[in-house]
């Protein structure tokens, strides 16, 4: 897995586009990682939200549609190819065929959110003959959820990091006070525990004396 941050920082929107296309086709640029990193850069003002969305959304759909088109053009024979046979085994193909027969394009909509199953689902949806318009509608709606979740996660994470950088001194003081409080609680616990054990031992000794008397 390759870190996408240097590419995005140097090439910004073009870099995001290329990484999402390549990642969608199976290269070591995970889609979710690129989206989270993009959200992080948006929070830091390196890239802007609207231009980023204009690039990201079609990038995802293009990458997904390329895989769908391979499946659509070559059918099940596409999985005999060395590259695609690694993505979809015979067992996986038969299982997904049953799902597509029962649920149709809903498999595309929900399956998109399961990392590791995206590429097989897109290939199989083309191979089993899902109409391209249904594929794009299902994938397009599902991609909105993916983008919102991943960009939001990166954006929130970036803001938290900024907050930590601004208030690092305050955080150090808070951590010191917490540790001091924990240490005080530990000493108090040890003290009262010792007193209770001493009282218990004294009571046992007194009871023995009484019984002996």
């Amino acid at each position: 897995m390759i870190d996408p941050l240097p590419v995005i920082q140097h090439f910004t929107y073009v870099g995001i586009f290329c990484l999402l296309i390549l990642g969608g086709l199976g290269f070591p640029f995970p889609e979710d990682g690129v989206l989270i990193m993009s959200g992080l850069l948006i929070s830091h003002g390196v890239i802007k939200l609207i231009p980023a969305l204009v690039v990201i959304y079609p990038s995802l759909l293009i990458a997904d549609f390329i895989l769908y088109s391979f499946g659509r053009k070559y059918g099940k024979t596409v999985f005999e190819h060395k590259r695609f046979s690694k993505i979809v085994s015979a067992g996986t193909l038969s299982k997904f065929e049953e799902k597509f027969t029962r649920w149709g394009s809903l498999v595309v909509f929900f399956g998109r959110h399961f990392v590791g199953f995206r590429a097989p689902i897109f290939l199989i949806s083309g191979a089993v003959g899902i109409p391209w318009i249904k594929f794009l509608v299902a994938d397009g709606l599902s991609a909105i959820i993916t983008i919102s979740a991943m960009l939001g996660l990166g954006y929130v994470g970036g803001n938290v990091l900024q907050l930590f950088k601004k208030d690092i001194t305050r955080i150090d003081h808070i951590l010191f006070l917490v540790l001091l409080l924990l240490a005080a609680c530990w000493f108090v616990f040890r003290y009262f525990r010792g007193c209770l054990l001493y009282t218990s031992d004294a009571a046992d000794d007194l009871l023995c004396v009484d019984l002996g008397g």
Side-chain angles (χ1 to χ4, degrees):
M1 186 180 296
I2 301 175
D3 183 8
L5 180 57
V7 178
I8 297 176
Q9 285 181 323
H10 284 87
F11 301 102
T12 57
Y13 303 107
V14 175
I16 293 172
F17 176 83
C18 293
L19 289 175
L20 289 174
I21 295 293
L22 293 174
L25 297 179
F27 289 86
F29 304 104
E31 175 184 295
D32 291 341
V34 175
L35 293 178
I36 291 173
M37 193 65 65
S38 299
L40 181 68
L41 294 177
I42 290 172
S43 71
H44 285 275
V46 178
I47 59 177
K48 302 298 182 182
L49 175 60
I50 300 302
L53 291 176
V54 170
V55 171
I56 288 171
Y57 189 67
S59 300
L60 296 186
L61 297 187
I62 290 170
D64 299 347
F65 193 74
I66 289 174
L67 289 175
Y68 167 85
S69 298
F70 273 112
R72 183 78 173 178
K73 182 176 181 180
Y74 298 105
K76 296 179 183 178
T77 59
V78 72
F79 305 112
E80 299 174 3
H81 190 279
K82 182 179 179 181
R83 180 172 183 81
F84 295 120
S85 63
K86 294 179 181 179
I87 299 176
V88 181
S89 64
T92 302
L93 177 60
S94 62
K95 289 180 181 178
F96 273 108
E97 276 187 297
E98 296 175 4
K99 301 295 184 184
F100 274 106
T101 302
R102 184 174 182 182
W103 301 105
S105 56
L106 286 176
V107 179
V108 177
F109 180 86
F110 291 107
R112 197 183 198 293
H113 304 293
F114 293 92
V115 179
F117 288 103
R118 289 170 183 164
I121 286 173
F122 301 150
L123 280 169
I124 296 171
S125 63
V128 300
I130 295 292
W132 67 269
I133 188 66
K134 288 187 176 181
F135 173 82
L136 283 179
V137 170
D139 188 46
L141 293 175
S142 185
I144 293 174
I145 299 174
T146 302
I147 293 171
S148 300
M150 295 301 105
L151 282 184
L153 184 62
Y155 186 83
V156 171
N159 283 333
V160 170
L161 288 175
Q162 286 181 326
L163 179 63
F164 279 178
K165 288 179 181 179
K166 291 179 181 179
D167 296 336
I168 192 68
T169 304
R170 186 184 304 173
I171 292 172
D172 287 341
H173 291 161
I174 292 173
L175 289 176
F176 176 76
L177 290 174
V178 169
L179 291 174
L180 188 63
L181 180 61
L182 290 174
C185 291
W186 183 80
F187 280 114
V188 170
F189 170 76
R190 294 276 297 182
Y191 173 77
F192 281 103
R193 182 172 178 270
C195 290
L196 289 173
L197 290 175
Y198 175 78
T199 303
S200 178
D201 291 340
D204 290 342
D205 293 339
L206 181 59
L207 181 59
C208 290
V209 171
D210 291 341
L211 291 175

